[in-house]
Amino acid sequence: MSEQSLQTRRIARLLGVESTDLDYLRDVPEDELKVLHDQVARAVFAGGEKRMAKVAGLSRSIPAPLAGRLAERFLPPLVAARVAELLEPERARDLVGRVSVPYLADLAVALDPVRSRPVVRAIPPQRIGEVAGELFARGEHALMAEFVTSVERPALEAALAVASPRDLLTVLPLLEWTDDVEHVVEHLPVARVREIAAALTPSELADLVVVLGPSRCEPLLEAVDDATVAAVGAQLVGRRDDADLETIGSLAWLLSDDQLERVTALVDDDSLVWLEGR
């Protein structure tokens, strides 16, 4: 994920400047940047609501394939996003199916996460997956995390299905942990879990264990050998972080005696406080 705040990049897009021009906002909290973004958006689009309503009305009266081509050719994503938010969800669904995936990804950057929710939920899961693939390729993990808060379970499954193991490692900590996210993560196919386990280093697996929590990471640890489990445990213990020690303390109950012996062989005696009560 880029160090640049998602909201900072959105403000830059509204103002038509490079995001680096707003580096002075780097230390502003994200919730305050969201307020600033909304204020800038209101100023930029002040007086333009009627014109956008007319554009939305025009898009309803022409065939969707033509409307999609015209939008992509003549409407900047920022404007197209505002128009899409004025359309009925079914019409918006039809329209977004007629534009290219890169343009739709640009549109996702510009959409308001609240006003666009009915529109985003109308987009077919397969299309959501295509947009997710484009956003992951761009490194837009923060945007992906925000984007999928608006979608329903099948679309969320499609979005996470196209994520690489390292994409998942980056985006999972950014997600709002809803029942749908919980369900999708807990029901990852065995082949997918093995792919993730094989692709990540012990340090990265340790990061994922912290994100998922001991109970959710059990299938992940079952997909690797005892030596890798021990290396993950040693990574957690070696960080000397209270949260990591708490995680390994809970994780210890899931490990076999052999796995625990392998962990203890990799760390010093002072690091074994997490074994108390095991």
Side-chain angles (χ1 to χ4, degrees):
M1 181 178 63
S2 168
E3 292 183 3
Q4 194 90 38
S5 158
L6 172 60
Q7 296 302 334
T8 299
R9 287 182 281 125
R10 282 184 158 160
I11 293 168
R13 187 178 288 266
L14 280 170
L15 297 174
V17 300
E18 295 295 328
S19 59
T20 52
D21 293 337
L22 302 180
D23 276 347
Y24 57 87
L25 296 175
R26 188 175 297 276
D27 295 328
V28 178
E30 194 76 356
D31 57 343
E32 294 182 18
L33 286 174
K34 177 64 171 69
V35 173
L36 177 59
H37 170 272
D38 293 345
Q39 291 172 338
V40 172
R42 283 195 294 271
V44 169
F45 294 110
E49 291 84 358
K50 290 184 179 179
R51 290 193 297 274
M52 290 185 190
K54 287 181 180 179
V55 174
L58 176 62
S59 73
R60 296 185 190 102
S61 63
I62 59 179
L66 178 59
R69 288 197 294 272
L70 289 174
E72 187 163 356
R73 182 165 184 178
F74 295 110
L75 290 182
L78 189 63
V79 175
R82 294 297 174 269
V83 171
E85 290 163 7
L86 296 172
L87 292 173
E88 297 85 358
E90 287 304 313
R91 181 59 176 174
R93 171 193 178 120
D94 201 14
L95 186 63
V96 299
R98 314 293 180 163
V99 299
S100 69
V101 171
Y103 183 79
L104 194 50
D106 289 339
L107 203 65
V109 177
L111 285 170
D112 180 276
V114 176
R115 289 198 302 268
S116 68
R117 182 163 295 178
V119 173
V120 173
R121 287 192 168 188
I123 302 174
Q126 180 182 351
R127 196 66 164 161
I128 293 288
E130 293 171 352
V131 176
E134 177 71 18
L135 292 175
F136 281 131
R138 297 181 185 185
E140 291 280 9
H141 296 94
L143 176 59
M144 263 301 304
E146 182 181 84
F147 186 60
V148 297
T149 61
S150 298
V151 304
E152 296 179 326
R153 189 174 295 175
L156 176 62
E157 291 172 344
L160 296 185
V162 300
S164 72
R166 286 185 174 81
D167 285 330
L168 286 175
L169 182 62
T170 304
V171 80
L172 284 178
L174 304 175
L175 291 175
E176 178 185 351
W177 210 265
T178 63
D179 289 343
D180 282 343
V181 172
E182 181 91 26
H183 178 88
V184 171
V185 170
E186 285 190 353
H187 292 82
L188 288 174
V190 173
R192 178 69 161 148
V193 173
R194 288 175 177 166
E195 175 197 2
I196 294 167
L200 299 181
T201 66
S203 178
E204 290 168 332
L205 284 170
D207 291 337
L208 197 53
V209 167
V210 173
V211 171
L212 295 178
S215 61
R216 298 191 198 102
C217 73
E218 188 172 1
L220 193 68
L221 295 179
E222 289 175 349
V224 297
D225 58 29
D226 285 351
T228 302
V229 172
V232 171
Q235 281 285 332
L236 291 168
V237 174
R239 295 175 185 181
R240 302 294 204 284
D241 181 272
D242 289 343
D244 291 336
L245 289 175
E246 183 178 349
T247 298
I248 193 62
S250 300
L251 187 64
W253 292 94
L254 302 177
L255 303 183
S256 67
D257 290 341
D258 182 60
Q259 288 171 332
L260 282 170
E261 288 180 9
R262 286 173 177 265
V263 174
T264 57
L266 295 175
V267 300
D268 58 74
D269 292 341
D270 292 339
S271 299
L272 300 183
V273 293
W274 53 271
L275 273 176
E276 292 179 4
R278 168 58 161 82

